[in-house]
Amino acid sequence: MKLNKEIKNRIDQYFDGIESEELYSIAFGKYGFIENIDFEIDNQSFDKVGQNFYCPNSDNSLDTNDMESLLLAA
């Protein structure tokens, strides 16, 4: 699914402003995610988690106000 710039910006702002604890609470409380804690982590090493960003090489957004830019199904 391709998003226009306005929707993408709104999604980015939402995730920029939410704390991990709040996102966890929403995922499990509101959307019914199931927490699986049945695994053993003793005596295991872990790598540090880094932050990755998706940066597209081109702008694939659509102008929904311009009918010529929209793909039409037959």
Side-chain angles (χ1 to χ4, degrees):
M1 179 171 107
K2 295 182 180 179
L3 304 173
N4 66 31
K5 287 181 183 180
E6 179 186 349
I7 294 173
K8 182 190 174 304
N9 286 338
R10 288 176 60 193
I11 292 170
D12 289 343
Q13 288 175 356
Y14 175 79
F15 283 104
D16 285 343
I18 193 168
E19 296 292 326
S20 58
E21 293 85 4
E22 184 180 0
L23 188 58
Y24 179 90
S25 175
I26 291 170
F28 288 91
K30 185 174 181 179
Y31 294 106
F33 282 53
I34 298 171
E35 184 177 26
N36 181 4
I37 57 172
D38 296 332
F39 54 91
E40 186 66 38
I41 60 170
D42 291 337
N43 300 319
Q44 294 185 26
S45 61
F46 296 93
D47 294 329
K48 288 186 177 179
V49 176
Q51 197 171 27
N52 293 324
F53 295 95
Y54 172 70
C55 299
N57 294 332
S58 61
D59 180 12
N60 294 325
S61 62
L62 296 174
D63 181 4
T64 56
N65 295 319
D66 181 12
M67 286 301 292
E68 292 182 13
S69 72
L70 298 178
L71 301 175
L72 302 177

